[in-house]
């Protein structure tokens, strides 16, 4: 800038009075402040064929807007850190606050919290609920995702970015070595389809990390909400198994069963319960009220009642704390990101993980010629999560929506998925062709009863062209050796999605209790002698400081006796 100014000044001096005095026009630069999770957007990789999405957007937006557009891109480690950063940088404006970012990418429960706290701008939507400035999302997003967002009331405030499940990455070879029952069950089983089912009989359960056979072989997330869901799943595992056997997605109504919608609603109540009466929570569901005279609903309520009574007056959060303290003695440790490399390197054999991290870990192990790893979602039910773009109050809405629309282009969505391993809500023909590419997922068009598995993805890819469907359904055939691996990790089948619940935002009282629980689990109960001695030391130090101050005020100095160190002996080693 200084050099440019000097050149302009020299030109003016040289011209003197012969030329009119003109100013150097400053280039217009528009900035977009983006706050995203670490390693959560595509960067340029020539070998992998991925794009530098930020650079590509800057070029695109600069051309569209007729001036330079720059993205100021920042990252966060956890959602709690992200929320705290927003609070630290907020500014008073009118009746509320504005924030330092134009776009932020939180998860479902945090989005709900931000909506409740009036932190977000609304996206421009028309009367039909369609985005006015995010046309790519309207055109290509999976109806499964858009219907869910609209049903939860999120579509005005958020646009989906990635989604997935929570489950366990596992190394079956190591688990079999440590569990004779597991080893006996899979011994001699050569059919891959049958083998994976045997694996999942042992690992697709919340009980897995508590299993004493696998002491110090597993890690769990250093994340309050995700690990709380893990604990709740374990606390209510017996009830969840019974509920899973009770639901049906059959089109013919069966009064002895519960519907998929009712089942999911009950799962949401269970996995997000803290200290309320779970039976009353389930009874209050609107969906349950529609079927309250039917046998299936009454059986579901009775299952929940028995589970609550089994706690013997203990709240869910207290039961979760108790079980997590037990789990803490059985696992290798807590982690946020290191579990991926530890799992691929064979340091651990169980990792509680988000599905995107699972896909990355499986790829990493394959590239290093490590063990063949698998991923399973607990059959008792789990968490289905969504990350989405939101605009904090005070955002540059026009540019922010342009960026989200850019990310929703199928080519950009595919590059993001390729680079980070997570799955975009963007579906449509291009993404379907991408997963059907044999180089990506080892699919085949020649089904074989013994060597392939038919997977129905109609629920997610219903918006693809009719000529890509089979009898109106979206069917693909995967080599059985890949079941439980990359494809089904990233694109779970409908039966897996059906048994997954969404996290909801805790109220302030619930949040306080869960945070206190987490603190007790992480730090543990301090021994009585330490609780007494620490305050005693502090009090003694304060008294000593006051005493010395008083003595100094009265001119009394305390001198320590000079210490005699003796004569220093010369040595070549002393430099």
């Amino acid at each position: 800038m200084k050099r440019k100014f000097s050149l302009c000044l020299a030109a003016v001096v040289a011209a003197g009075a012969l030329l009119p005095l003109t100013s150097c026009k400053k280039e217009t630069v528009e900035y977009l402040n983006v706050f995203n999770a670490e390693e959560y957007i595509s960067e340029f990789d020539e070998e992998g064929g991925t794009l530098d999405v930020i650079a590509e957007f800057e070029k695109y937006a600069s051309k569209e807007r007729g001036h330079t557009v720059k993205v100021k891109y920042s990252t966060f480690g956890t959602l709690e850190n992200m929320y705290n950063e927003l609070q630290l940088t907020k500014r008073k404006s009118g009746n509320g606050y504005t924030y330092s970012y134009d776009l932020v990418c939180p998860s479902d429960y945090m989005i709900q919290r931000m909506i409740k706290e009036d932190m977000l701008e609304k996206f421009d939507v028309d009367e039909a609920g369609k985005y006015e400035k995010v046309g790519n999302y309207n055109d290509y997003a999976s109806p499964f995702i858009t219907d869910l967002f609209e049903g939860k009331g999120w579509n005005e405030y958020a646009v989906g970015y990635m989604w997935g499940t929570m489950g366990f990455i596992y190394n079956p070879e190591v688990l079999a070595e440590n569990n004779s029952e597991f080893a006996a069950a899979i011994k001699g089983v050569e059919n891959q389809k049958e083998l994976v089912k045997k694996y999942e009989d042992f690992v697709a359960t919340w009980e897995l990390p508590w299993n004493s056979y696998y002491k110090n072989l597993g890690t769990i997330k250093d994340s309050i909400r995700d690990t709380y869901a893990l604990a709740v799943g374990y606390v209510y595992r017996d009830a969840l198994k019974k509920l899973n056997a009770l639901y049906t997605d059959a089109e013919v109504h069966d009064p002895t069963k519960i519907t998929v919608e009712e089942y999911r609603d009950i799962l949401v109540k269970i996995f997000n319960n803290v200290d309320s009466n779970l039976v009353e929570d389930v009874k209050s569901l609107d969906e349950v009220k529609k079927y309250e005279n039917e046998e299936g609903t009454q059986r579901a309520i009775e299952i929940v009642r028995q589970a609550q009574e089994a706690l013997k007056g203990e709240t869910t959060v207290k039961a979760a704390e108790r079980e997590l303290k037990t789990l803490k003695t059985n696992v290798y440790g807590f982690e946020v990101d290191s579990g991926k490399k530890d799992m691929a390197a064979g340091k651990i054999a169980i990792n509680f993980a988000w599905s995107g991290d699972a896909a990355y870990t499986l790829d990493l192990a394959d590239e290093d010629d490590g063990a063949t790893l698998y991923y399973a979602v607990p059959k008792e039910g789990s968490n289905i999560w969504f990350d989405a773009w939101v605009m904090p109050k005070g955002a540059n809405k026009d540019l922010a929506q342009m960026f989200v629309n850019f990310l929703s282009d199928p080519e950009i969505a595919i590059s993001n998925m390729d680079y980070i391993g997570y799955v975009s809500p963007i579906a449509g023909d291009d993404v379907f062709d991408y997963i059907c590419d044999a180089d990506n997922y080892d699919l085949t068009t020649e089904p074989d009863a013994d060597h392939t598995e038919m997977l129905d993805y109609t629920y997610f890819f219903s918006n693809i062209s009719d000529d890509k469907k089979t009898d109106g359904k979206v069917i693909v055939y995967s080599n059985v050796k890949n079941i439980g691996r990359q494809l089904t990790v990233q694109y779970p089948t409908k039966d897996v999605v059906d048994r997954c619940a969404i996290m909801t935002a805790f109220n302030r009282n619930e949040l306080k209790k869960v945070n206190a629980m987490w603190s007790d689990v992480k730090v543990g109960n301090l021994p009585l002698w330490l609780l007494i001695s620490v305050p005693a030391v502090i009090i003694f130090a304060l008294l000593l400081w006051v005493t010395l101050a008083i003595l100094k005020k009265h001119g009394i100095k305390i001198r320590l006796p000079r210490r005699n160190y003796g004569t220093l002996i010369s040595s070549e080693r002393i430099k």
Side-chain angles (χ1 to χ4, degrees):
M1 181 61 72
K2 288 181 180 178
R3 183 166 180 261
K4 183 178 180 182
F5 175 77
S6 299
L7 290 172
C8 290
L9 182 59
V12 170
V13 172
L18 297 176
L19 295 173
L21 186 63
T22 59
S23 62
C24 290
K25 186 177 180 181
K26 186 177 180 181
E27 181 185 12
T28 299
V29 180
E30 188 177 14
Y31 292 98
L32 181 71
N33 296 295
V34 178
F35 202 21
N36 195 9
E38 295 170 354
E39 299 180 350
Y40 212 32
I41 200 163
S42 174
E43 297 179 11
F44 178 72
D45 182 348
E46 186 174 3
E47 184 178 349
T50 57
L51 303 169
D52 182 338
V53 167
I54 297 296
E56 292 299 322
F57 173 73
E58 289 177 338
K59 288 189 289 186
Y60 164 77
S62 296
K63 183 178 179 181
E64 288 291 314
R65 297 174 84 81
H67 55 254
T68 301
V69 172
K70 291 290 184 183
V71 176
K72 291 184 176 179
Y73 189 83
S74 305
T75 61
F76 55 83
T78 67
L79 290 173
E80 286 68 30
N81 289 343
M82 177 275 294
Y83 177 83
N84 292 335
E85 170 73 10
L86 289 178
Q87 297 304 314
L88 288 171
T89 59
K90 66 185 180 183
R91 300 176 298 276
K92 188 72 176 175
S93 176
N95 295 326
Y97 293 94
T98 59
Y99 299 88
S100 298
Y101 297 95
D102 301 301
L103 272 175
V104 180
C105 188
S107 295
D108 34 45
Y109 71 90
M110 187 60 75
I111 294 169
Q112 296 167 62
R113 180 177 180 181
M114 295 169 81
I115 292 172
K116 285 182 180 180
E117 296 181 9
D118 194 28
M119 295 174 63
L120 303 179
E121 299 278 6
K122 290 184 178 182
F123 280 80
D124 296 325
V125 295
D126 59 24
E127 293 181 357
K130 298 293 184 182
Y131 299 105
E132 294 180 352
K133 297 182 179 180
V134 195
N136 283 334
Y137 196 82
N138 294 334
D139 294 340
Y140 301 114
S142 167
F144 164 71
I145 304 290
T146 56
D147 290 349
L148 190 146
F149 268 52
E150 189 169 349
K152 296 294 180 182
W154 300 343
N155 58 315
E156 283 189 306
Y157 295 94
V159 177
Y161 181 53
M162 296 289 163
W163 73 285
T165 59
M166 286 292 293
F168 296 108
I169 312 169
Y170 64 97
N171 184 330
E173 291 184 9
V174 175
L175 299 189
E177 288 172 2
N178 286 270
N179 184 341
S180 58
E181 187 178 352
F182 189 173
I186 64 174
K187 186 177 181 180
V189 179
E190 295 181 359
N191 182 283
Q192 186 72 16
K193 188 183 300 187
E194 184 182 348
L195 189 62
V196 173
K197 288 180 179 178
K198 292 284 186 182
Y199 290 165
E200 293 190 349
D201 286 342
F202 284 87
V203 302
T205 172
W206 290 116
E207 298 176 47
L208 181 64
W210 274 269
N211 192 318
S212 59
Y213 284 119
Y214 311 135
K215 187 175 178 62
N216 294 327
L217 289 179
T219 56
I220 56 177
K221 282 282 169 278
D222 192 0
S223 164
I224 299 175
R225 284 307 301 269
D226 298 299
T227 302
Y228 183 69
L230 165 73
V232 172
Y234 183 70
V235 167
Y236 291 106
R237 61 193 182 280
D238 292 334
L240 290 168
K241 289 175 185 176
K242 294 175 183 177
L243 288 168
N244 181 262
L246 190 59
Y247 95 96
T248 178
D249 62 353
E251 294 181 4
V252 179
H253 182 57
D254 183 348
T256 67
K257 298 284 187 178
I258 56 176
T259 65
V260 171
E261 292 76 17
E262 188 177 0
Y263 175 51
R264 285 179 184 158
D265 284 340
I266 295 174
L267 290 182
V268 169
K269 289 297 184 183
I270 292 175
F271 278 101
N272 292 285
N273 187 264
V274 175
D275 61 352
S276 61
N277 186 313
L278 190 53
V279 176
E280 295 305 316
D281 287 349
V282 171
K283 279 186 175 181
S284 70
L285 289 168
D286 291 338
E287 289 294 325
V288 172
K289 288 181 179 179
K290 294 178 183 178
Y291 307 107
E292 62 185 3
N293 294 321
E294 298 193 18
E295 182 182 342
T297 302
Q298 292 304 314
R299 288 174 63 191
I301 292 174
E302 184 57 30
I303 289 169
V304 173
R305 186 191 309 282
Q306 291 174 3
Q308 185 167 280
E309 289 176 353
L311 295 184
K312 299 178 180 178
E314 197 174 31
T315 62
T316 301
V317 68
K318 282 298 179 184
E321 179 180 338
R322 168 171 48 82
E323 297 298 355
L324 284 175
K325 285 180 177 178
T326 301
L327 178 60
K328 187 178 174 182
T329 66
N330 201 58
V331 296
Y332 180 78
F334 295 81
E335 60 84 27
V336 173
D337 199 49
S338 61
K340 293 180 286 187
K341 291 183 179 179
D342 288 345
M343 193 77 203
K347 191 174 182 179
I348 55 175
I350 300 168
N351 181 221
F352 180 48
W354 301 290
S355 52
D357 280 359
Y360 177 87
T361 305
L362 268 59
D363 285 343
L364 198 61
D366 291 346
E367 290 169 5
D368 294 341
D369 295 324
T372 301
L373 305 180
Y374 292 82
Y375 173 81
V377 175
K379 292 180 179 178
E380 302 99 330
S382 185
N383 166 234
I384 185 170
W385 54 264
F386 300 91
D387 289 342
W389 293 104
V390 300
M391 300 182 294
K393 285 288 180 71
N396 180 342
K397 287 182 58 176
D398 192 51
L399 188 57
Q401 290 176 101
M402 177 181 278
F403 184 73
V404 176
N405 187 58
F406 184 78
L407 294 177
S408 301
D409 179 276
E411 181 184 359
I412 302 301
I414 289 171
S415 186
N416 276 329
M417 289 192 292
D418 246 359
Y419 188 83
I420 65 178
Y422 281 73
V423 176
S424 169
I426 301 304
D429 288 2
D430 289 341
V431 177
F432 183 68
D433 289 343
Y434 166 77
I435 73 163
C436 289
D437 187 329
D439 291 337
N440 293 326
Y441 291 107
D442 196 20
L443 298 184
T444 179
T445 56
E446 300 177 1
D448 179 288
D450 293 326
H451 301 99
T452 63
E453 180 85 353
M454 186 186 80
L455 302 172
D456 186 344
Y457 285 124
T458 307
Y459 83 94
F460 188 80
F461 285 103
S462 61
N463 62 345
I464 67 171
S465 301
D466 289 340
D467 61 356
K468 296 181 182 293
K469 297 179 180 178
T470 305
D471 296 328
K473 294 186 177 182
V474 181
I475 303 296
V476 301
Y477 293 93
S478 172
N479 189 313
V480 292
K481 70 180 181 181
N482 293 318
I483 300 302
R485 289 180 42 78
Q486 281 86 339
L487 177 62
T488 53
V489 170
Q490 295 182 301
Y491 289 96
T493 51
K494 187 175 183 296
D495 64 305
V496 172
V497 172
D498 284 348
R499 66 177 188 260
C500 290
I502 297 171
M503 288 187 187
T504 59
F506 291 142
N507 60 39
R508 290 185 180 276
N509 183 53
E510 290 172 334
L511 193 59
K512 182 178 179 181
K513 291 179 179 179
V514 172
N515 284 338
M517 176 277 298
W518 186 245
S519 178
D520 285 346
V521 169
K522 291 296 295 292
V523 177
N525 296 321
L526 296 175
L528 182 61
W529 68 267
L530 189 59
L531 292 174
I532 295 172
S533 62
V534 170
V537 171
I538 294 173
I539 292 170
F540 175 77
L542 288 172
L543 289 173
L544 180 61
W545 179 79
V546 170
T547 302
L548 291 173
I550 293 172
L551 291 173
K552 184 178 180 181
K553 184 177 180 181
H554 290 82
I556 302 173
K557 295 183 179 180
I558 297 178
R559 295 182 181 274
L560 294 175
R562 183 183 296 275
R563 184 173 178 182
N564 185 4
Y565 290 95
T567 304
L568 179 64
I569 299 174
S570 176
S571 171
E572 287 297 319
R573 296 196 309 170
I574 298 176
K575 301 295 182 182

